Amino acid sequence: MNEHTNDGEMAAALPKFARLPINRCNLPPQILGSLTFQRHPTALCLDGVEALHGRFFAELDGIDDALQRAAAFNALMQAAFVLDALDEAGLENRAQRVRRGNADYLRLLRGWMFDADGQEAAVLKSWVESRFGLVSLSHRGSIRDTGSAQYQRYLAARAQGLYNTNALEAQLDLLYSYCQYELARRLPQQQHLTLYRGTNRIEEYDVLAKPAPHRWIMVLNNLNSFSDDPERADEFGDIVLLARVPKAKVLFMPGLLPGTLRGEQEYLVIGGVYETRRNRPGII
């Protein structure tokens, strides 16, 4: 079903194939994944984070320096998930500690930046499904067909990535919530970020409408890489798409954890329906 906006254009709703019936968020998937949400976003809150960690975020309000806030966040992660003392988290032998110790939120981010279709990426996409109710549509190719061998390989990758780990999805809940806190603090007057994504083939996307030349309304995968530099995005495809991304849909941004990750120039953006246009310098 489509809905009319005030400007008379057709605003595409999130198709059923791209969403689950439930999620763990304050808005249902059909709303947070819609074009209306892209245009008129509001804050997204994950179930349980405020109840468990509200005191921590209140304490951040008293820290003016972003580096100190990042240090406080890393310290919270170490304490909440005993990342430096895995035997206290139930790991008894060294082999288990090594495997489980490698599987933390930083390892997932590094894995995504190395290969957005790797095992760590499958875990991240699975987390988006669980928390926001947005279905992963691509992982080493299309996985729209849930009966396909490709989809089964995706399920296997995410199961392997989550097996015998220390509350990875809860770690990501905190990472997302901290990123949202920082965005709200650093950009209090903005609801959107102008970001860019390089691609070679528009036909690989689920395009719902083409309201004008070089302009598309499309369904993005449930998690995507973007850049704030169009020249950087151009390295990843002949066509550079420009999108106004709601702050509420940013899982990770450059500079969020300074000194922790190398080459952290990507924005990890939660998907849904987006209006995009080709970035053509000098043309509005």
Side-chain angles (χ1 to χ4, degrees):
M1 179 180 293
N2 292 325
E3 58 189 53
H4 287 280
T5 59
N6 292 334
D7 60 8
E9 294 184 1
M10 296 294 287
L14 182 67
K16 289 185 178 180
F17 68 76
R19 55 183 165 90
L20 298 174
I22 59 173
N23 62 11
R24 300 180 186 179
C25 187
N26 59 321
L27 291 178
Q30 60 266 35
I31 293 179
L32 68 87
S34 69
L35 182 61
T36 299
F37 186 89
Q38 184 204 7
R39 291 174 171 171
H40 309 286
T42 188
L44 298 175
C45 303
L46 300 182
D47 294 350
V49 174
E50 175 63 25
L52 291 173
H53 303 290
R55 181 177 176 180
F56 165 73
F57 288 103
E59 290 174 351
L60 288 184
D61 292 341
I63 303 176
D64 293 329
D65 183 71
L67 288 175
Q68 292 182 16
R69 294 197 298 270
F73 171 75
N74 286 326
L76 171 68
M77 298 297 281
Q78 295 291 337
F81 302 102
V82 287
L83 298 180
D84 287 334
L86 294 175
D87 53 337
E88 295 180 14
L91 275 292
E92 296 180 355
N93 64 63
R94 185 177 183 279
Q96 284 183 315
R97 285 197 297 271
V98 170
R99 290 195 300 270
R100 191 165 177 177
N102 285 337
D104 61 18
Y105 67 106
L106 294 174
R107 175 63 178 267
L108 293 180
L109 292 173
R110 293 187 186 102
W112 175 278
M113 293 172 188
F114 178 75
D115 181 4
D117 282 320
Q119 180 173 289
E120 292 85 359
V123 173
L124 285 163
K125 293 171 185 177
S126 173
W127 172 81
V128 175
E129 289 188 14
S130 169
R131 271 44 181 179
F132 299 96
L134 302 179
V135 173
S136 181
L137 303 174
S138 177
H139 189 79
R140 298 196 182 282
S142 175
I143 53 173
R144 284 271 302 273
D145 180 2
T146 58
S148 67
Q150 190 78 0
Y151 182 74
Q152 296 306 312
R153 285 191 286 269
Y154 162 68
L155 293 182
R158 77 181 193 184
Q160 291 167 2
L162 285 168
Y163 176 71
N164 198 35
T165 57
N166 191 8
L168 264 183
E169 292 182 315
Q171 292 182 40
L172 293 173
D173 290 349
L174 266 173
L175 176 69
Y176 169 78
S177 300
Y178 176 64
C179 184
Q180 290 301 303
Y181 175 90
E182 283 296 308
L183 281 168
R185 182 128 182 205
R186 299 181 193 187
L187 305 170
Q189 303 304 317
Q190 286 184 223
Q191 291 300 317
H192 295 86
L193 303 175
T194 298
L195 299 179
Y196 306 88
R197 177 174 172 83
T199 185
N200 286 316
R201 297 182 179 180
I202 292 294
E203 60 268 21
E204 292 179 350
Y205 293 86
D206 288 291
V207 176
L208 303 178
K210 189 176 180 181
H214 305 294
R215 187 173 161 208
W216 302 270
I217 295 173
M218 59 176 60
V219 183
L220 293 182
N221 201 14
N222 68 347
L223 191 62
N224 312 269
S225 290
F226 276 81
S227 174
D228 58 7
D229 181 355
E231 293 185 3
R232 172 68 173 165
D234 187 53
E235 297 174 8
F236 296 90
D238 296 332
I239 298 174
V240 175
L241 298 176
L242 179 154
R244 295 181 70 241
V245 174
K247 285 195 307 184
K249 285 195 169 182
V250 178
L251 165 60
F252 179 80
M253 64 179 178
L256 181 66
L257 302 173
T260 304
L261 297 169
R262 294 182 179 179
E264 50 169 90
Q265 298 308 307
E266 294 183 30
Y267 288 77
L268 270 64
V269 172
I270 295 161
V273 178
Y274 279 80
E275 183 172 14
T276 66
R277 67 172 175 84
R278 187 168 186 175
N279 184 53
R280 305 172 73 192
I283 298 177
I284 304 299

